[in-house]
Amino acid sequence: MIFAVLIFLGLTATSLQACVNKTTDQQDPWSVQLLQSTLTVNNDFDASINGSSADGQYVIEIVGNKGKVIQNSRNTQVVVNNQIPWGSNLTLYSIIGADSTSILMGWIYCSHDDLLTALWLEDTSGLAGFTNSTVVGNCHADSTARNSSYAIREECITVDPPSVYPSMQGLDVSLQPHNVGAVNLSQEYDLLPFEIVDCLDCGNTSTNGWVEIHSVLSSKSLSNICIGIFCLYAEKGPDPMVLLSYLNCFQQQEKSTQWLPATYDISAYTSPPPPSATPASDAATSFPQSTVMKIVSLMVATIF
Ligand SMILES: *[C@@H]1O[C@H](CO)[C@@H](O)[C@H](O)[C@H]1NC(C)=O
Ligand SMILES: *[C@@H]1O[C@H](CO)[C@@H](O)[C@H](O)[C@H]1NC(C)=O
Ligand SMILES: *[C@@H]1O[C@H](CO)[C@@H](O)[C@H](O)[C@H]1NC(C)=O
Ligand SMILES: *[C@@H]1O[C@H](CO)[C@@H](O)[C@H](O)[C@H]1NC(C)=O
Ligand SMILES: *[C@@H]1O[C@H](CO)[C@@H](O)[C@H](O)[C@H]1NC(C)=O
Ligand SMILES: *[C@@H]1O[C@H](CO)[C@@H](O)[C@H](O)[C@H]1NC(C)=O
Ligand SMILES: *[C@@H]1O[C@H](CO)[C@@H](O)[C@H](O)[C@H]1NC(C)=O
């Protein structure tokens, strides 16, 4: 479903680690380092997209698969790295970029008659996390392959972990309280959770909801940084697995969706009501940002 996209990088294979706090001279494990580099995004499409919200708070301008997102006065350079058919009338484009405070990713909704209908953004700083902005504008894409170069400035991004998050333990994934986790994909990544979405009542029955761990993945050896969502389902089979989905990386070298065998604990989250009890909507109130997030999460659940 997700079109193959190759990203070739002009990066040296330096070790990528957390940033060093210049006061303490210690590495801060809850940080990731973007190395100064130029990467080339090699897409099999060529998209130009621009639009803005009615209040002028959000602007997006993309030409030839790269450009910027402006949120008030905050300007983030982004590249488009995926084109995803979405239902019968829409195509989604995923974007990723970074500025001095956070890593930003998003989804651009384009209709088949070339109208930009919405822009959904999520970032690691929490400042603009989970914003679904009604942006209108124009999209134009054709199937001409296009390589765009993209300059990354060296930045240290600090991730503020949620005070509580689920634990996971499997052969290739590990996340325990108070520590940066780890996941092995095509290479080893540190796993830094930055947002939890309680979606236990988002399922199509009262028992098949899930909890999402929105995370930054930072590779230990070859420099790659991704944002991805671990979905931990309430219904566990005999061999429990977590779903890693929506992986959006500066280097597109990982599958965007994969299942990883792991045990996990989501008991800290509100249990959904038993089938005969209150309607599912009553359970929605416990999580403050739930409304937008649940729409987002339903999108996550249905994309494959
Ligand atoms: C560096 O460490 C000091 C002492 O722990 C702390 O106060 C400061 O906020 C840290 N700086 C950064 C940029 O994290
Ligand atoms: C947006 O795109 C349209 C069509 O490509 C173009 O005419 C217009 O000038 C662009 N606007 C901005 C602000 O880039
Ligand atoms: C797609 O567009 C057609 C024609 O505009 C409309 O009838 C249909 O309801 C739309 N489908 C969805 C899923 O929005
Ligand atoms: C993009 O870069 C790749 C790898 O360097 C090259 O094979 C391809 O021909 C380039 N495509 C375009 C459209 O320039
Ligand atoms: C990832 O692989 C390395 C090397 O095989 C191993 O030492 C490490 O424990 C693995 N990490 C996880 C989270 O499984
Ligand atoms: C409910 O969701 C499950 C898993 O997400 C899916 O396999 C099943 O087909 C869905 N059932 C209906 C009736 O939509
Ligand atoms: C974002 O908002 C648009 C317009 O209201 C809506 O069609 C879309 O489903 C929303 N997307 C998400 C992920 O919430």
Side-chain angles (χ1 to χ4, degrees), residues 7 9 42 47 84 95 114-115 122-123 135 167 171 195 200 204 206 208 211 220 234 241 274-275 280:
I7 297 185
L9 281 193
N42 180 2
I84 302 169
I95 54 175
D114 282 353
L115 295 178
E122 172 169 8
D123 80 20
V135 167
S167 57
L171 206 55
E195 189 73 73
L200 283 172
N204 56 15
S206 60
N208 71 357
V211 174
K220 286 175 181 284
M241 294 195 280

Side-chain angles (χ1 to χ4, degrees), residues 118-163:
L119 173 65
W120 179 76
L121 301 171
E122 172 169 8
D123 80 20
T124 56
S125 71
L127 290 174
F130 307 105
T131 304
N132 188 5
S133 169
T134 309
V135 167
V136 294
N138 298 296
C139 303
H140 179 75
D142 58 40
S143 53
T144 314
R146 182 173 188 114
N147 294 348
S148 312
S149 67
Y150 173 68
I152 294 183
R153 288 185 313 179
E154 186 164 324
E155 301 283 7
C156 175
I157 308 284
T158 304
V159 174
D160 190 16
S163 52

Side-chain angles (χ1 to χ4, degrees), residues 172 183-189 217 219-222 224 226 244 247 249 251-255 258 260:
D172 290 321
V183 60
N184 287 346
L185 305 174
S186 74
Q187 56 172 316
E188 294 177 53
Y189 290 85
L217 306 185
S219 68
K220 286 175 181 284
S221 53
L222 287 168
N224 192 18
C226 312
L244 173 57
L247 202 57
C249 301
Q251 291 186 67
Q252 208 70 1
Q253 61 197 184
E254 305 292 352
K255 283 187 288 182
Q258 50 199 295
L260 301 167

Side-chain angles (χ1 to χ4, degrees), residues 174-289:
S174 173
L175 180 65
Q176 299 299 333
H178 314 300
N179 286 306
V180 167
V183 60
N184 287 346
L185 305 174
S186 74
Q187 56 172 316
E188 294 177 53
Y189 290 85
D190 286 337
L191 191 175
L192 292 78
F194 64 91
E195 189 73 73
I196 304 301
V197 179
D198 180 343
C199 229
L200 283 172
D201 63 349
C202 299
N204 56 15
T205 72
S206 60
T207 55
N208 71 357
W210 60 93
V211 174
E212 298 177 3
I213 310 174
H214 293 228
S215 306
V216 175
L217 306 185
S218 171
S219 68
K220 286 175 181 284
S221 53
L222 287 168
S223 31
N224 192 18
I225 291 179
C226 312
I227 290 182
I229 300 175
F230 291 89
C231 291
L232 281 48
Y233 287 87
E235 282 179 1
K236 293 180 194 175
D239 301 308
M241 294 195 280
V242 299
L243 174 65
L244 173 57
S245 63
Y246 277 94
L247 202 57
N248 191 346
C249 301
F250 283 95
Q251 291 186 67
Q252 208 70 1
Q253 61 197 184
E254 305 292 352
K255 283 187 288 182
S256 70
T257 297
Q258 50 199 295
W259 290 92
L260 301 167
T263 57
Y264 52 89
D265 180 4
I266 53 173
S267 57
Y269 298 87
T270 327
S271 296
S276 59
T278 48
S281 58
D282 287 356
T285 46
S286 60
F287 199 82
Q289 291 158 293

Side-chain angles (χ1 to χ4, degrees), residues 6-81:
L6 296 174
I7 297 185
F8 293 92
L9 281 193
L11 285 179
T12 49
T14 48
S15 174
L16 183 69
Q17 291 178 330
C19 332
V20 173
N21 180 320
K22 295 197 172 69
T23 312
T24 60
D25 208 29
Q26 302 276 312
Q27 283 193 352
D28 175 1
W30 290 97
S31 67
V32 298
Q33 196 160 28
L34 295 169
L35 300 179
Q36 183 173 351
S37 56
T38 302
L39 58 80
T40 304
V41 183
N42 180 2
N43 286 328
D44 55 9
F45 59 89
D46 181 353
S48 291
I49 297 164
N50 61 41
S52 59
S53 58
D55 60 8
Q57 282 191 9
Y58 295 89
V59 175
I60 182 161
E61 289 175 17
I62 304 279
V63 176
N65 296 336
K66 66 174 182 174
K68 61 188 172 187
V69 170
I70 302 171
Q71 303 166 74
N72 290 313
S73 55
R74 187 167 159 209
N75 183 331
T76 309
Q77 303 297 310
V78 297
V79 280
V80 181
N81 59 8

Side-chain angles (χ1 to χ4, degrees), residues 95-116:
I95 54 175
I96 191 164
D99 55 30
S100 60
T101 53
S102 69
I103 301 164
L104 173 73
M105 64 149 284
W107 299 94
I108 302 165
Y109 291 66
C110 293
S111 70
H112 289 175
D113 49 358
D114 282 353
L115 295 178
L116 170 57

